[in-house]
Amino acid sequence: MACGFRRSIACQLSRLLDLPPENLIKSISAVPISRKEEVADFQLSVDSLLGNNNDHSRPDIQVQATRLAEKLKCDTVVSEISTGQGTVNFKINRELLTKTVLQQVIKDGSKYGLNSELFSGLPQKKIVVEFSSPNVAKKFHVGHLRSTIIGNFIANLKEALGHQVTRINYLGDWGMQFGLLGTGFQLFGYEEKLQSNPLQHLFEVYVQVNKEAADNKNVAKSAHEFFQRLELGDMQALELWQKFRDLSVEEYVRIYKRLGVHFDEYSGESFYREKSQEVLKLLDSKGLLQKTIKGTAIVNLSGNGDPSSICTVMRSDGTSLYATRDLAAAIDRMDKYNFDTMIYVTDKGQKKHFQQVFQMLQIMGYDWAERCQHVPFGVVQGMKTRRGEVTFLEDVLNEIRSRMLQNMASIKTTKEVENPQETAERVGLAALIIQDFKGVLLSDYQFSWDRIFQSRGDTGVFLQYTHARLHSLEETFGCGYLNDFNTACLQEPQSVSILQHLLRFDEVLYRSSQDLQPRHIVSYLLTLSHLAGMAHKTLHIKDSPPEVAGARLHLFRAVRSVLANGMKLLGITPVCRM
């Protein structure tokens, strides 16, 4: 794989520069392919090398590159050495490149790209990822979709790199909304409706009681009292709350199954209602808790009364708040998991909240607060179904499936599939995920049904179509061809471009592991699919001599394997027919 070639180049450089090969490996990168011209396979950035050497005078980098290239020699691995803009470029022996890359892809299977030297010496860590976190007794809002698919991607990537990952769904199952819901259900609830369609009915009750509470002070007061009863452990109030929670979780589990997402722990704010009182005592004992005129308790994080640095941690009636429960949850998870990193995946609107939570943990004396990380994301705009404004994720999933079934029925090339509903949902989810992951996570984006279902261009439908087509090639021609192959039969420009692109997979995984952005992998897979599409038009298997057909089939099989690996990391299940 790439790192074998990198190491070979690094060893030759090491002798010249008197630096250990390990110091040089990350300065040697695979060159992105170009449609206009054939490019070298690897390049060494002379600039980064001078940085390694602590040579702060930095003479003309181009002169340095030329001098270095003149001293280097071609060998059995490197067939050509040249210079570019501040780089030394290396072309790998073509037959060695072909044989090594294809054998490595087949040998490593789902681990291709992850066994790279770029990840060597990476300590195995305990990582907690908190994501999705919908509010109990409200239907799964589409706003939680981004948290779910981004958190799933981060957990998949960390797991693939060998870390011990715990996926936590921290449910919004406590707080004032339950006061409103408890009161609302007593006023407007129907037991039979609750049993037949629980979340829809609870949502309707919640909307109704909110309107009522805005106009009627007695309803607002009653809601407040109901939540106080919950906090004090009143059995009747808790029983109703537990029913709402159980019905909600049951519904969520069913929806997560459709998304292909799982959790190791369903936690929630309710778990920390008692522990949050301990947090308040600890803050008080450290002299950090201040009472306001209104009777609430605050923590002043700036020390100078700056209003933006004040965090309210207790209501005037002594009940806990979201921030208090988050503090209690973080402390509890450290005791339980002894994590090296804890990642919270929520929208960017909660950025300040997490800054305050992490800061409070620090001043409470928890040094591990620096291991906590917030991964924020932007807002999706304009996601509507044919029936109008979307509130619920299930509506989106149903819409995806029905639109995709229509598309599949109208396309002449659609194959007979065993389970069209399941295939349509998997292809539709790929479309949704790729549209979401193409840009920087922090960006807001405008959702477009028309755009996500295009079968050509940079879409998830195109990725699924490419995977299915490559799978079909293997099914049609695979028998007897895949034992060995002749590298001399894969020297056309289209083959070389694919091999060069396969070389880069480990670097792309490395970039995503550094900044937790899926767009690097998305961009890589889309390019791989376009390359495969172009090669499929010219590198025919049918009617080619057996030796040529076998070599090409090996190449297409490697493309499909890497495409499937990348898709699975993103949370997409590849389809074999569509």
Side-chain angles (χ1 to χ4, degrees):
M1 205 187 107
C3 64
F5 296 134
R6 267 194 215 101
R7 177 161 282 281
S8 179
I9 294 166
C11 285
Q12 195 184 156
L13 285 164
S14 163
R15 291 190 289 274
L16 269 180
L17 300 168
D18 199 23
L19 285 168
E22 280 67 28
N23 291 21
L24 299 165
I25 280 166
K26 285 181 185 169
S27 297
I28 301 163
S29 57
V31 179
I33 54 148
S34 163
R35 287 187 181 181
K36 295 173 188 166
E37 57 187 354
E38 191 185 333
V39 294
D41 303 307
F42 289 96
Q43 62 184 25
L44 168 78
S45 161
V46 176
D47 196 24
S48 69
L49 202 62
L50 293 173
N52 280 343
N53 224 351
N54 291 325
D55 180 357
H56 297 296
S57 62
R58 297 205 175 189
D60 183 359
I61 287 166
Q62 204 56 47
V63 173
Q64 290 283 82
T66 308
R67 275 188 202 150
L68 189 54
E70 283 165 358
K71 291 178 189 170
L72 291 162
K73 291 184 172 60
C74 294
D75 53 21
T76 53
V77 175
V78 177
S79 63
E80 202 176 293
I81 297 167
S82 60
T83 57
Q85 289 291 110
T87 62
V88 179
N89 304 331
F90 302 87
K91 186 176 174 181
I92 303 298
N93 173 312
R94 283 290 165 256
E95 291 202 14
L96 182 65
L97 174 80
T98 309
K99 190 173 185 180
T100 308
V101 171
L102 295 188
Q103 283 181 347
Q104 196 80 46
V105 172
I106 305 306
K107 175 173 165 268
D108 285 356
S110 63
K111 285 283 178 192
Y112 179 73
L114 297 161
N115 291 334
S116 164
E117 196 135 21
L118 295 177
F119 298 112
S120 68
L122 186 77
Q124 304 307 289
K125 292 182 174 178
K126 292 177 187 162
I127 296 172
V128 170
V129 186
E130 182 203 289
F131 63 105
S132 193
S133 308
N135 293 310
V136 163
K138 296 181 188 175
K139 285 189 82 171
F140 198 120
H141 195 279
V142 77
H144 296 284
L145 173 65
R146 287 204 88 183
S147 173
T148 307
I149 59 177
I150 294 165
N152 188 49
F153 159 70
I154 291 170
N156 288 346
L157 183 61
K158 295 290 186 185
E159 246 165 31
L161 290 168
H163 300 299
Q164 187 183 323
V165 177
T166 304
R167 300 160 184 252
I168 295 182
N169 197 340
Y170 182 64
L171 302 170
D173 64 355
W174 203 250
M176 240 344 267
Q177 78 259 34
F178 285 94
L180 281 161
L181 201 65
T183 297
F185 193 74
Q186 287 163 350
L187 291 171
F188 315 114
Y190 294 94
E191 189 61 35
E192 55 277 22
K193 281 189 180 178
L194 183 69
Q195 294 306 326
S196 64
N197 193 347
L199 288 193
Q200 183 63 41
H201 184 50
L202 287 174
F203 177 70
E204 287 161 2
V205 167
Y206 189 69
V207 170
Q208 210 171 342
V209 74
N210 261 303
K211 280 182 191 164
E212 204 72 25
D215 302 330
N216 187 333
K217 283 185 179 173
N218 287 334
V219 173
K221 185 172 177 247
S222 171
H224 207 88
E225 284 165 0
F226 189 92
F227 182 53
Q228 267 190 300
R229 281 167 58 202
L230 275 177
E231 287 254 302
L232 294 168
D234 176 86
M235 289 309 290
Q236 206 179 352
L238 281 171
E239 205 175 295
L240 189 59
W241 168 83
Q242 190 68 50
K243 186 193 282 187
F244 295 162
R245 189 185 197 278
D246 292 347
L247 288 167
S248 300
V249 172
E250 221 173 277
E251 181 85 339
Y252 296 150
V253 170
R254 188 176 60 76
I255 292 171
Y256 289 130
K257 200 172 177 185
R258 284 181 73 176
L259 283 169
V261 172
H262 73 276
F263 291 92
D264 301 302
E265 183 185 302
Y266 279 88
S267 163
E269 293 181 67
S270 62
F271 286 55
Y272 302 106
R273 61 182 191 269
E274 285 167 19
K275 287 183 178 170
S276 61
Q277 294 302 319
E278 292 167 27
V279 166
L280 291 171
K281 283 177 194 164
L282 185 58
L283 285 166
D284 199 21
S285 70
K286 290 184 176 284
L288 299 166
L289 210 60
Q290 297 173 26
K291 281 279 176 74
T292 66
I293 303 164
K294 292 177 183 173
T296 58
I298 60 159
V299 175
N300 182 355
L301 293 164
S302 69
N304 60 13
D306 174 5
S308 67
S309 300
I310 286 170
C311 184
T312 306
V313 290
M314 188 184 79
R315 286 193 181 87
S316 56
D317 61 4
T319 56
S320 60
L321 282 150
Y322 182 51
T324 334
R325 296 189 285 271
D326 259 354
L327 290 169
I331 295 162
D332 180 59
R333 288 173 195 168
M334 191 60 190
D335 290 343
K336 192 172 176 182
Y337 298 112
N338 190 26
F339 57 77
D340 297 295
T341 307
M342 178 156 62
I343 298 166
Y344 296 85
V345 184
T346 74
D347 69 84
K348 60 186 178 185
Q350 294 197 47
K351 191 177 175 187
K352 185 184 169 188
H353 164 77
F354 282 107
Q355 282 173 345
Q356 291 189 331
V357 167
F358 301 160
Q359 212 177 330
M360 278 192 280
L361 286 168
Q362 284 276 15
I363 60 175
M364 286 165 80
Y366 297 114
D367 293 342
W368 48 261
E370 62 193 23
R371 302 184 205 173
C372 299
Q373 180 184 358
H374 178 218
V375 175
F377 55 81
V379 179
V380 186
Q381 290 148 341
M383 193 184 266
K384 295 178 183 178
T385 64
R386 291 179 179 124
R387 292 204 310 273
E389 196 66 50
V390 161
T391 318
F392 306 128
L393 179 62
E394 188 152 32
D395 297 334
V396 176
L397 294 181
N398 293 340
E399 181 99 358
I400 280 172
R401 186 168 60 192
S402 69
R403 283 185 187 239
M404 203 60 230
L405 277 167
Q406 276 183 344
N407 278 21
M408 284 161 61
S410 67
I411 296 168
K412 290 173 188 169
T413 55
T414 298
K415 300 267 195 303
E416 274 296 313
V417 294
E418 278 175 28
N419 189 337
Q421 296 264 349
E422 186 182 85
T423 300
E425 186 141 311
R426 285 179 177 173
V427 175
L429 271 173
L432 194 70
I433 288 169
I434 294 301
Q435 173 157 298
D436 199 285
F437 284 179
K438 269 161 73 172
V440 179
L441 293 180
L442 203 52
S443 304
D444 300 340
Y445 76 90
Q446 193 66 35
F447 182 84
S448 159
W449 285 110
D450 293 337
R451 199 167 60 238
I452 77 168
F453 285 121
Q454 287 169 358
S455 57
R456 299 189 183 282
D458 292 345
T459 66
V461 179
F462 173 56
L463 287 188
Q464 288 284 30
Y465 174 69
T466 304
H467 184 272
R469 189 158 70 163
L470 293 171
H471 188 269
S472 170
L473 271 183
E474 282 175 53
E475 273 190 333
T476 310
F477 302 107
C479 300
Y481 274 140
L482 289 175
N483 296 331
D484 203 7
F485 63 98
N486 182 351
T487 54
C489 298
L490 289 174
Q491 299 310 312
E492 307 90 345
Q494 295 95 325
S495 302
V496 172
S497 287
I498 287 174
L499 292 162
Q500 288 178 313
H501 196 59
L502 292 174
L503 264 184
R504 292 185 59 233
F505 191 49
D506 61 344
E507 288 182 15
V508 172
L509 295 179
Y510 183 75
R511 279 187 76 184
S512 279
S513 75
Q514 293 297 295
D515 64 8
L516 303 182
Q517 295 283 332
R519 65 195 168 98
H520 311 303
I521 297 172
V522 170
S523 172
Y524 176 89
L525 296 180
L526 288 167
T527 301
L528 183 61
S529 296
H530 285 299
L531 289 171
M534 289 188 287
H536 188 262
K537 286 175 189 167
T538 53
L539 305 179
H540 301 131
I541 293 170
K542 192 180 179 184
D543 301 329
S544 293
E547 203 176 32
V548 174
R552 286 174 179 175
L553 201 59
H554 247 89
L555 181 71
F556 288 126
R557 184 189 179 193
V559 170
R560 187 189 66 77
S561 174
V562 174
L563 185 58
N565 293 350
M567 288 165 80
K568 286 172 189 169
L569 281 177
L570 296 172
I572 296 168
T573 304
V575 299
C576 296
R577 286 172 181 273
M578 65 176 275

